[in-house]
Amino acid sequence: MSRSAHPAGPRHADVLPEGHYAAPPVDLNALDPKVWAQTVTRDEDGVVTVGGVDVKTLAEEVGTPAYVLDEEDFRARARAWRTAFGHDADVFYAGKAFLSRAVVRWLDEEGLNLDVCSGGELATALSAGLAPDRIAFHGNNKTPAEIRRAVEAGVGRIVLDSFQEIVRVAHLARELGKRQRVQIRVTVGVEAHTHEFIATAHEDQKFGIPLAGGQAAEAVRRALQLDSLDVIGIHSHIGSQIFDMSGFEVAAHRVVGLLKDIRDEHGVELPEIDLGGGLGIAYTSEDDPREPHEIAKALTEIVTRECEAARLRTPRISVEPGRAIAGPTAFTLYEVGTVKSLEGLRTYVSVDGGMSDNIRTALYDAEYSVALVSRTSDAEPMLVRVVGKHCESGDIVVKDAFLPADLAPGDLIAVPATGAYCRSMASNYNHALRPPVVAVREGEARVIVRRETEEDLLRLDVG
Ligand code: LLP
């Protein structure tokens, strides 16, 4: 799903299987800063360190598999988004990428707001002490109980996703004697260039209310009539892992078009627009993501230009990056269990995790890179498939990658750019125990989400 091109490179084995593979990197020991967290480097013994802690020590202390998160990098990325958008805009980190109480506190300290999309995420944010008015609540089918909790807590905005929800939120807010700030999520009819499962602005899908046919305008009309709703703006999220800014441009153009229609019909200028998240990151060296300041500049310019043309006051912009903040900040540390060479076919490297800690390869055909991290090696590159320990052949972590030919059981390997949508989409398939998340910073490692235990599993089994 990364947009990496994969020309067939020089071949390093007699027979190579059909498939996508790039040329082997010139230096297998090198760690491309594009895909590795900022503080990742090798120490004088060739062992990879992050935040000043080496991976061998981490493996001893917390075991493998483990998600290892560079706290300094996470904070720096959050800060870069905040700074890029300045004081006239708001940055809501999308908690679905990865959320824990520590993350909420980091975001709070770095001045970001939070987008939650379930009661569980809301509970996490509130329990970490985030001010409720800095929370946006999303989802295409929020339950009445979730809505009640959000309104009671006083969340800063609820993003309304259907006609039924407009009435539902209005009703619950009235019952609670509150006036709830809301945005209305629209689908602008853009085909984002990304995997079909994570594109969200074309009309035929479950999110949002289509601009087409006047449905979004009708939703605004109805919401404006309800006293218990304070309609503060329009929301659009076009998809995820996007590199091309043109989709955002079209979205901004159409959202501003709706603001203009609303002004013309109701005499009201809605004060905010949210352009969602979706900015892509580098999973392999071939991906070239945009920097937050470029994105901020592009989005601000588009909205300002469109508003000037429509003679509207420029609304306050908000954005919701998830992957672009969390994704590059973590890698998954695995121990190699077996190396199986199938004559003339392929070499399989089995690790002690798999699709239960990273479903993205199986689900979206996502591409990842991998490196030997417990030592360096001068051995020849060997084309491998990194697979997990689950009971199915689709349990692939990295489809095609080069590792040194002397790779052996007990070696530690790591898959970078797993900070987003890996722990948050992890499962207990085959009763796997979900790995911990270890935050490292200034020579210290701190478990922020602990490893599951068999007791955790059995506690739920009450039959
Ligand atoms: N805002 C809304 C309303 C969203 O639905 C999402 C993601 C975001 C913001 C954050 O998007 P980001 O900046 O992280 O791309 N599981 C998939 C990604 C699903 C994204 C869902 N919504 C994956 O692993 O690629």
Side-chain angles (χ1 to χ4, degrees):
M1 198 187 60
S2 120
R3 61 166 184 182
S4 320
H6 284 272
R11 305 196 157 199
H12 273 250
D14 292 340
V15 186
L16 283 181
E18 287 296 314
H20 298 285
Y21 49 87
V26 183
D27 177 4
L28 275 186
N29 299 315
L31 301 163
D32 184 349
K34 250 196 207 179
V35 295
W36 292 91
Q38 270 170 24
T39 70
V40 168
T41 179
R42 282 189 195 268
D43 66 16
E44 59 277 14
D45 300 322
V47 182
V48 166
T49 71
V50 54
V53 184
D54 78 82
V55 293
K56 283 177 151 178
T57 306
L58 283 169
E60 269 160 34
E61 285 178 1
V62 300
T64 54
Y67 303 101
V68 182
L69 195 161
D70 182 343
E71 179 180 340
E72 204 50 62
D73 192 15
F74 191 103
R75 286 175 177 273
R77 287 176 198 275
R79 211 176 303 135
W81 277 85
R82 187 75 207 88
T83 313
F85 278 87
H87 291 292
D88 300 327
D90 297 299
V91 181
F92 287 75
Y93 168 74
K96 67 207 81 183
F98 170 61
L99 195 66
S100 78
R101 286 194 275 215
V103 163
V104 175
R105 287 191 288 267
W106 301 341
L107 294 166
D108 194 359
E109 285 163 19
E110 301 300 341
L112 274 74
N113 298 345
L114 181 68
D115 142 10
V116 299
C117 68
S118 70
E121 289 184 0
L122 177 60
T124 305
L126 294 175
S127 81
L130 187 66
D133 64 353
R134 289 172 57 192
I135 300 175
F137 189 29
H138 273 278
N140 66 303
N141 188 19
K142 309 168 191 78
T143 66
E146 286 174 323
I147 296 170
R148 179 180 286 276
R149 175 132 198 236
V151 175
E152 263 171 357
V155 298
R157 63 170 78 149
I158 296 183
V159 182
L160 302 175
D161 199 277
S162 65
F163 283 98
Q164 283 97 338
E165 202 173 69
I166 294 173
V167 178
R168 212 170 276 158
V169 172
H171 179 75
L172 279 162
R174 189 173 328 114
E175 222 179 82
L176 294 165
K178 297 219 183 191
R179 186 146 195 264
Q180 178 61 51
R181 288 158 54 89
V182 295
Q183 288 190 340
I184 293 179
R185 176 159 173 181
V186 303
T187 39
V188 294
V190 172
E191 298 285 336
H193 300 289
T194 187
H195 192 282
E196 126 181 51
F197 292 178
I198 53 174
T200 53
H202 52 294
E203 273 135 20
D204 181 5
Q205 51 123 343
K206 69 171 186 164
F207 293 108
I209 303 175
L211 279 177
Q215 287 199 61
E218 175 59 20
V220 173
R221 205 169 289 135
R222 292 197 198 169
L224 283 173
Q225 282 165 7
L226 296 164
D227 291 343
S228 55
L229 300 183
D230 178 9
V231 184
I232 57 166
I234 302 297
H235 184 286
S236 154
H237 170 74
I238 61 172
S240 202
Q241 185 60 2
I242 299 167
F243 290 93
D244 181 357
M245 290 301 288
S246 62
F248 290 98
E249 227 168 283
V250 178
H253 171 73
R254 297 193 181 156
V255 168
V256 172
L258 178 61
L259 291 185
K260 180 173 173 295
D261 293 346
I262 294 167
R263 192 255 336 258
D264 293 347
E265 182 180 341
H266 306 281
V268 181
E269 290 197 27
L270 297 185
E272 296 188 20
I273 65 172
D274 189 306
L275 293 172
L279 278 309
I281 62 161
Y283 284 101
T284 73
S285 298
E286 274 102 74
D287 294 325
D288 287 307
R290 298 281 197 97
E291 293 294 324
H293 65 87
E294 294 175 78
I295 295 158
K297 186 165 178 285
L299 292 184
T300 313
E301 276 175 10
I302 300 164
V303 174
T304 311
R305 193 180 61 227
E306 294 287 333
C307 287
E308 270 167 16
R311 295 182 203 287
L312 283 167
R313 269 194 303 276
T314 305
R316 188 173 179 87
I317 300 174
S318 51
V319 287
E320 299 170 337
R323 187 192 316 264
I325 293 178
T329 66
F331 59 79
T332 314
L333 185 63
Y334 299 105
E335 185 177 303
V336 173
T338 66
V339 180
K340 189 185 282 181
S341 293
L342 302 180
E343 251 327 286
L345 285 173
R346 194 187 295 283
T347 297
Y348 285 92
V349 172
S350 292
V351 294
D352 47 359
M355 65 194 300
S356 56
D357 59 70
N358 187 349
I359 190 65
R360 300 192 67 263
T361 308
L363 191 55
Y364 314 116
D365 217 10
E367 286 171 18
Y368 283 93
S369 44
V370 61
L372 171 60
V373 290
S374 48
R375 61 184 175 90
T376 51
S377 166
D378 295 328
E380 279 291 290
M382 156 175 81
L383 180 65
V384 301
R385 175 161 288 181
V386 180
V387 295
K389 67 197 294 286
H390 294 282
C391 292
E392 64 177 82
S393 6
D395 173 26
I396 299 168
V397 180
V398 187
K399 220 164 29 161
D400 300 293
F402 289 91
L403 282 169
D406 64 352
L407 191 78
D411 279 334
L412 297 175
I413 62 175
V415 174
T418 59
Y421 304 111
C422 286
R423 180 59 180 77
S424 66
M425 294 176 81
S427 78
N428 289 121
Y429 183 39
N430 297 145
H431 283 202
L433 304 170
R434 285 179 295 174
V437 181
V438 191
V440 286
R441 187 187 192 193
E442 291 173 357
E444 277 184 31
R446 184 164 64 100
V447 173
I448 58 170
V449 179
R450 73 157 166 79
R451 185 184 303 284
E452 271 176 342
T453 61
E454 283 175 7
E455 290 75 63
D456 290 328
L457 280 185
L458 292 172
R459 198 170 297 139
L460 302 178
D461 189 333
V462 294

